[in-house]
Amino acid sequence: MDGIDAEELLDALQQTRLTGRPGYPFRSMWRAWLAKYILSIRYNVDLVARLRSSARLREVCGFDGPVPSESTFCRFFSRLADFQHLVEQCLVAITDQIGAKLPYFGKVVAADASVFPTYGNPDRKTVQGNPCGDMDAKWGFKNSVRTKEKEEVEWCFGYKMHAIADALYGIPLGFVLTPANTNESPLLPEVVRKAQAAYKHLKPRFLLADRQYDSDNNFRFLNKRKITPVIHIRKPSNNRELHRGIYSPNGSPTCQGGKEMQYISTDPDTGHHLFRCPNGGCPLQTKRGVHYCADEVWEDPAVEPRIVGTLPRASPLWKKLYKRRWSVERVFRSLKHSRNLDQHCFRGMRKVLLHSTLSMLTYNATVLARLDAGDRRNMRQMRVKES
């Protein structure tokens, strides 16, 4: 908690308390909310019970007397949602501190999206005249190992977090929140713009993403910002070749024999890629017998930036980098399992956005605390026990 610089946020909250009783200190309420995410406490009633039973936790949060009630915590969260931009500043500040301690931080980033449910009723009905639905949430589907094995679609009524993370260390940089039915690909430019606007020194060399982000617009956007896309190509239907057989479904050129050519090297001066027919040439049946094509071709990535790419998919570096894409998947898993991302009691974009920011903020706060303690090996270990 001490690693989070929230002085500007606390000052802004204090300005809202001009009249009436003094109430509970905003600093204590803020630290209690952080403890709720760090200790994976879902409900406010459980947070109140933990504070009442743990003198150590009350001391850390700064409660000398009685513990606030459940409704007091609910009102504080609603007030805190008015200062979403200041909470995001806390996230940016703590991520900058992490980047100062890790070499090559932000040079390789990964983008992905994940769906999590809302706390509202999908039928948008009311109970005794009170709305229990969520008008901002939508139906969307999420992929998992279980659904892939059964070839099913798992539907979820809620929101989708479009996140970008450092792929070398698995540290989230920022996100954009949308309803669950939003497509990932068109949101990539917005996610990158928001991250680069927040972190002035963020200049990634590579961006990793799966085939959901494969589009001409995304490639042009990233190339314009001098970011090399490492995005898996979206294969054509029925596994047909691209561009009338000129390219294989994996994006490599094909030879006269219809075989996928092998990547050889890249010219450092021109940036063109050399591809060669595999195994010394493909046998071609002609009137004079068997002839080996032995094709060799230079591909200009500027002509087909999406298919060929600045970094060809057949190169060893592309394959090595793409394996790092799973780092953002691990971030989502930790946010959900250890930072309450999908275990919450909020409805509406305004509150769910704050909840998502606090989830990511406490994730990075744990990383920074472990780095400060010299435990770099376990910096992504999110399990925290109360001493």
Side-chain angles (χ1 to χ4, degrees):
M1 296 180 186
D2 293 336
I4 301 176
D5 184 9
E7 295 303 322
E8 186 176 354
L9 170 64
L10 296 175
D11 290 342
L13 287 169
Q14 192 63 40
Q15 295 300 320
T16 64
R17 184 179 285 171
L18 301 177
T19 59
R21 293 179 298 175
Y24 294 96
F26 281 123
R27 187 180 300 275
S28 299
M29 298 292 293
W30 165 250
R31 292 172 74 89
W33 265 105
L34 295 178
K36 180 181 178 182
Y37 287 86
I38 294 172
L39 299 176
S40 301
I41 302 173
R42 180 176 184 181
Y43 299 104
N44 289 342
V45 63
D46 295 331
L47 174 61
V48 172
R50 181 74 70 90
L51 286 169
R52 290 174 177 172
S53 63
S54 174
R56 177 59 176 158
L57 185 57
R58 292 197 301 272
E59 178 186 355
V60 170
C61 295
F63 291 114
D64 298 329
V67 174
S69 64
E70 180 184 358
S71 59
T72 303
F73 278 112
C74 292
R75 289 193 297 270
F76 175 77
F77 187 86
S78 298
R79 182 176 297 185
L80 190 63
D82 295 333
F83 302 95
Q84 167 68 26
H85 62 291
L86 296 180
V87 180
E88 291 181 355
Q89 286 183 17
C90 295
L91 173 61
V92 172
I94 203 168
T95 309
D96 280 334
Q97 295 181 59
I98 296 174
K101 297 177 180 293
L102 298 174
Y104 306 107
F105 183 79
K107 297 301 180 183
V108 182
V109 297
D112 204 352
S114 183
V115 175
F116 61 96
T118 181
Y119 194 65
N121 190 331
D123 296 332
R124 298 177 178 175
K125 296 179 180 179
T126 59
V127 176
Q128 297 179 353
N130 297 320
C132 60
D134 190 342
M135 301 300 293
D136 297 330
K138 302 294 181 183
W139 281 103
F141 66 90
K142 56 182 181 179
N143 297 321
S144 63
V145 176
R146 181 173 58 85
T147 57
K148 289 181 179 179
E149 290 177 353
K150 296 183 179 181
E151 296 183 355
E152 297 176 351
V153 175
E154 183 177 353
W155 291 93
C156 176
F157 183 73
Y159 297 88
K160 181 178 290 187
M161 174 184 281
H162 307 260
I164 184 171
D166 178 272
L168 297 180
Y169 301 103
I171 310 297
L173 299 172
F175 69 96
V176 171
L177 190 69
T178 64
N181 63 345
T182 308
N183 188 13
E184 299 98 303
S185 182
L187 265 293
L188 180 63
E190 181 179 349
V191 175
V192 175
R193 288 193 197 99
K194 183 178 179 180
Q196 289 191 313
Y199 306 97
K200 303 302 181 182
H201 303 289
L202 180 62
K203 296 181 179 179
R205 293 183 56 193
F206 303 96
L207 184 140
L208 325 178
D210 60 16
R211 56 172 51 95
Q212 298 292 334
Y213 294 89
D214 177 31
S215 70
D216 291 330
N217 291 334
N218 288 340
F219 273 80
R220 283 194 296 267
F221 169 80
L222 294 174
N223 288 330
K224 186 177 180 180
R225 290 188 171 239
K226 298 181 180 180
I227 303 174
T228 302
V230 183
I231 301 176
H232 210 301
I233 195 168
R234 194 189 297 265
K235 293 186 178 181
S237 59
N238 300 326
N239 208 33
R240 293 177 296 181
E241 289 79 6
L242 299 171
H243 283 224
R244 303 178 305 279
I246 299 177
Y247 298 99
S248 70
N250 293 323
S252 298
T254 56
C255 65
Q256 297 181 46
K259 298 293 184 65
E260 182 176 335
M261 304 180 74
Q262 294 179 341
Y263 168 76
I264 304 300
S265 63
T266 299
D267 190 314
D269 298 326
T270 63
H272 295 185
H273 310 309
L274 174 61
F275 291 86
R276 189 173 295 158
C277 189
N279 301 322
C282 298
L284 302 176
Q285 190 68 34
T286 64
K287 294 181 179 180
R288 297 182 180 181
V290 178
H291 170 69
Y292 291 89
C293 61
D295 281 351
E296 204 176 78
V297 63
W298 286 91
E299 287 286 340
D300 183 1
V303 178
E304 291 290 347
R306 171 179 161 265
I307 298 178
V308 177
T310 306
L311 183 65
R313 296 178 181 85
S315 64
L317 178 59
W318 191 98
K319 297 177 181 179
K320 181 179 179 180
L321 288 172
Y322 192 74
K323 291 180 180 179
R324 294 278 185 176
R325 191 193 67 82
W326 298 105
S327 59
V328 68
E329 298 280 358
R330 291 192 292 268
V331 168
F332 283 131
R333 184 174 64 240
S334 295
L335 290 175
K336 291 180 178 181
H337 292 178
S338 304
R339 290 297 176 266
N340 291 355
L341 181 61
D342 61 347
Q343 300 293 323
H344 63 91
C345 304
F346 306 112
R347 299 190 298 264
M349 179 67 72
R350 177 173 171 269
K351 290 187 176 181
V352 176
L353 178 60
L354 175 59
H355 159 72
S356 304
T357 307
L358 290 173
S359 177
M360 189 171 290
L361 173 63
T362 50
Y363 179 102
N364 286 2
T366 305
V367 172
L368 180 62
R370 297 198 185 279
L371 288 175
D372 290 339
D375 191 11
R376 177 173 170 178
R377 180 178 180 182
N378 297 316
M379 65 180 180
R380 293 193 301 269
Q381 177 59 254
M382 291 293 111
R383 304 270 177 153
V384 178
K385 295 182 179 180
E386 183 183 347
S387 61

